[in-house]
Amino acid sequence: MACNMRTDLLISQICPTSGHVSVKRRIGNASVVRAVVVDHNTLFKDIIGSTRSLIMRRPTLPKPQLVEETDHERKGCKGKFGRFGGNFVPETLISCLSDLEAEFNLVLHDAQFQAELATALRDYVGRETPLYFAERLTNHYKKNNNGEGPDIYLKREDLNHGGAHKINNAIAQAMIAKRLGRKSVVAATGAGQHGVATAAACAKLSLQCTIFMGTKDMEKQSSNLVLMKLLGAEVKSVDGNFKDATSEAFREWVGNLESSYYLTGTVVGPHPCPSMVREFQSVIGKETRRQAMEKWGGKPDVLVACVGSGSNALGLFHEFIKEKDVRLIGVEAGGFGLESDKHSATLAKGDVGVYHGTMSYLLQDEEGQIIRPHSVGVGLEYPAVGPELSFLKDTGRAEYYSVTDKEALDACQLLCRLEGIIPSLEASHALAFLNKLCPTLPTGTKVVVNCSGRGDKDAEMILNHKYYPMEKQFPASQNL
């Protein structure tokens, strides 16, 4: 995101000299107005997270009925998916976001930009990625179900340059930043996959790159930290995890609006950010449709993807949202269990509120304060989820489930031993749900799982995790 605006004017409008500002936010059918004291030493805290002014629990509301697809993105309502989405930002940022939206709409119909992007996706990113028939994994589940069960295919996003789906969006947005004349890019990362993708895209396009990353995530994902630095990015540590890094990246961008671009990798944030990321990730589903037709002459029956904030899930789902005979299954991080306070299952346990500029489901306490998420898959540790996925939950178009840390670790090891593929722990959550899903499906059902990233970054964590004695769990000689 980028725009021309005097920073001192923005600060004066957000933090007036009186020290008070009235904030009004509508959650569901409830309207709340509060006077909030703004601490000038924690600039923009009220704008980007964890204060009562922007994060409020909704009253109990009847579940909306399934709506027609024409209502999916409400006409005339920018960035709104039913009651979700929108722009919960200072008025002075609206013009900046409007400029970004205008540029985004322009490049969607710009033949030269689209041709350059297609070339970059093919020659730099390495698309298209295979739709791989996981024969041994398929046979494993059939063997455990009296020979019955679906055919399992993996959409191999782990084979992209950088090792994840994140580069699909990063290269496109970096091209927009370059087109806008920006010299530097700011981003936040959790597992490091978006950080690596952004650093790579910036290196290719000669853009300065600053990545914010939580100290806890740096410890867990040290290999990606090294890669970001090798690619020329400046990596700044933030006490905490991804949500804290996102807040700091936003502050950095707001302090230098004239020359920097905020490159978001998630389908959250104020409009047009969720729509942009979804659009650039939708190549996953488009390829899946074409490849499925080539392989078996039809559509997938079931699509499965892990859900943190939701970029890889929407990238796979969006192409098939209108086709209600295709099941859309999102798998959240259940951590130590949904009844514990150690999970990232926002759609299962969250309530509607506003966070980082958009309305969606959030993990929050009775006072509206953010509950710190947990997952063994660092990239899933975010307390909110995209507004479009929130809408798909309320309308019933998508199904959401959760798996525990242990189930994800088991699934990761299973795929390693059966197919010789090392998935990320994030993608392993989607793979883990197959254990529950496969016994419910008839033979011949076509299931596509989004293998959204590779697990090199997680290898040490998997080997050292307390759930393993690996050789006792999966002996190398065992015929699984």
Side-chain angles (χ1 to χ4, degrees):
M1 293 184 282
C3 65
N4 293 313
M5 187 183 303
R6 283 179 51 201
T7 304
D8 58 344
L9 176 62
L10 177 61
I11 294 174
S12 67
Q13 292 183 347
I14 295 177
C15 302
T17 55
S18 65
H20 293 76
V21 60
S22 179
V23 180
K24 182 176 181 178
R25 292 291 181 263
R26 186 172 295 277
I27 310 296
N29 293 329
S31 180
V32 182
V33 180
R34 297 194 181 189
V36 181
V37 177
V38 178
D39 181 355
H40 292 211
N41 294 323
T42 55
L43 182 61
F44 308 122
K45 182 180 180 182
D46 287 333
I47 303 305
I48 57 180
S50 70
T51 60
R52 291 178 176 83
S53 61
L54 295 189
I55 306 170
M56 307 170 194
R57 294 172 66 87
R58 64 175 174 84
T60 301
L61 299 174
K63 185 174 181 179
Q65 298 299 309
L66 185 63
V67 298
E68 293 301 318
E69 181 57 32
T70 51
D71 292 330
H72 180 64
E73 244 178 308
R74 285 164 50 188
K75 296 179 180 179
C77 299
K78 295 181 180 180
K80 294 291 289 183
F81 304 92
R83 56 179 171 161
F84 301 105
N87 278 346
F88 290 86
V89 296
E91 190 66 31
T92 43
L93 285 181
I94 294 297
S95 63
C96 173
L97 294 168
S98 296
D99 289 345
L100 179 62
E101 181 186 14
E103 188 66 25
F104 170 55
N105 289 331
L106 185 62
V107 302
L108 288 180
H109 302 94
D110 186 308
Q112 182 179 351
F113 180 92
Q114 291 298 322
E116 291 175 357
L117 178 58
T119 299
L121 290 174
R122 183 191 67 221
D123 297 342
Y124 186 69
V125 175
R127 305 206 70 90
E128 62 184 35
T129 59
L131 184 61
Y132 168 74
F133 176 49
E135 184 175 6
R136 292 196 69 206
L137 187 66
T138 295
N139 291 338
H140 169 77
Y141 285 111
K142 287 185 176 181
K143 179 181 176 181
N144 293 338
N145 194 40
N146 299 318
E148 298 291 322
D151 296 330
I152 301 168
Y153 290 79
L154 306 181
K155 183 57 175 163
R156 296 293 306 279
E157 292 301 294
D158 56 306
L159 296 180
N160 282 328
H161 177 48
H165 71 291
K166 292 294 188 180
I167 190 69
N168 302 327
N169 165 71
I171 191 67
Q173 284 208 54
M175 289 171 61
I176 290 176
K178 189 82 171 179
R179 182 183 171 109
L180 290 169
R182 302 307 165 200
K183 304 298 183 184
S184 63
V185 164
V186 177
T189 192
Q193 293 172 318
H194 177 59
V196 170
T198 300
C202 288
K204 173 176 169 53
L205 296 174
S206 189
L207 294 165
Q208 296 177 8
C209 182
T210 303
I211 306 292
F212 288 84
M213 191 173 187
T215 51
K216 295 180 179 179
D217 297 339
M218 284 181 165
E219 294 174 3
K220 297 176 182 177
Q221 310 282 254
S222 58
S223 62
N224 277 342
L225 175 62
V226 171
L227 292 179
M228 285 182 272
K229 292 180 178 179
L230 283 174
L231 291 165
E234 179 185 4
V235 184
K236 294 186 176 182
S237 63
V238 179
D239 186 31
N241 57 12
F242 177 54
K243 75 178 185 66
D244 307 295
T246 300
S247 296
E248 287 302 319
F250 196 88
R251 290 187 182 96
E252 177 82 3
W253 167 65
V254 168
N256 192 17
L257 291 168
E258 294 184 1
S259 63
S260 66
Y261 182 96
Y262 179 63
L263 202 161
T264 178
T266 65
V267 287
V268 297
H271 178 71
C273 297
S275 296
M276 287 178 64
V277 176
R278 179 254 284 155
E279 175 62 30
F280 294 134
Q281 292 294 358
S282 66
V283 64
I284 302 172
K286 292 172 183 176
E287 285 182 5
T288 298
R289 177 189 291 280
R290 182 170 63 253
Q291 292 168 325
M293 184 59 65
E294 292 172 355
K295 286 182 178 293
W296 63 79
K299 298 177 295 187
D301 297 301
V302 185
L303 302 176
V304 185
C306 66
V307 174
S309 56
S311 62
N312 93 91
L314 267 183
L316 180 63
F317 293 170
H318 191 259
E319 176 70 10
F320 299 93
I321 285 177
K322 294 181 179 181
E323 297 168 62
K324 297 179 182 178
D325 56 337
V326 179
R327 290 177 64 185
L328 311 179
I329 296 179
V331 185
E332 295 190 292
F336 291 114
L338 296 186
E339 300 311 313
S340 72
D341 60 353
K342 298 291 185 181
H343 62 77
S344 296
T346 306
L347 290 163
K349 302 294 286 186
D351 293 284
V352 177
V354 174
Y355 189 66
H356 283 163
T358 192
M359 183 180 291
S360 67
Y361 278 97
L362 309 175
L363 292 176
Q364 52 186 319
D365 63 20
E366 292 296 331
E367 295 185 346
Q369 298 301 293
I370 287 298
I371 297 172
R372 186 173 292 277
H374 161 80
S375 173
V376 69
V378 174
L380 302 181
E381 285 187 323
Y382 188 70
V385 69
E388 192 166 355
L389 288 176
S390 296
F391 177 80
L392 295 177
K393 167 188 164 67
D394 269 15
T395 59
R397 177 63 188 94
E399 309 164 41
Y400 297 101
Y401 304 93
S402 65
V403 300
T404 64
D405 285 351
K406 185 179 185 304
E407 289 171 321
L409 285 158
D410 288 345
C412 178
Q413 187 67 61
L414 185 65
L415 192 68
C416 290
R417 291 299 173 90
L418 290 181
E419 298 290 349
I421 296 171
I422 306 173
S424 67
L425 284 176
E426 291 80 19
S428 296
H429 284 72
L431 292 162
F433 188 67
L434 293 174
N435 197 46
K436 301 173 183 175
L437 177 66
C438 289
T440 70
L441 299 176
T443 298
T445 303
K446 306 299 184 185
V447 175
V448 174
V449 181
N450 195 1
C451 189
S452 56
R454 68 173 184 245
D456 309 42
K457 66 185 181 64
D458 300 317
E460 185 176 357
M461 186 187 306
I462 296 166
L463 289 171
N464 294 333
H465 201 280
K466 65 182 181 180
Y467 291 132
Y468 291 94
M470 184 177 65
E471 287 302 317
K472 291 182 179 179
Q473 191 87 334
F474 296 102
S477 62
Q478 183 176 335
N479 185 16
L480 298 176

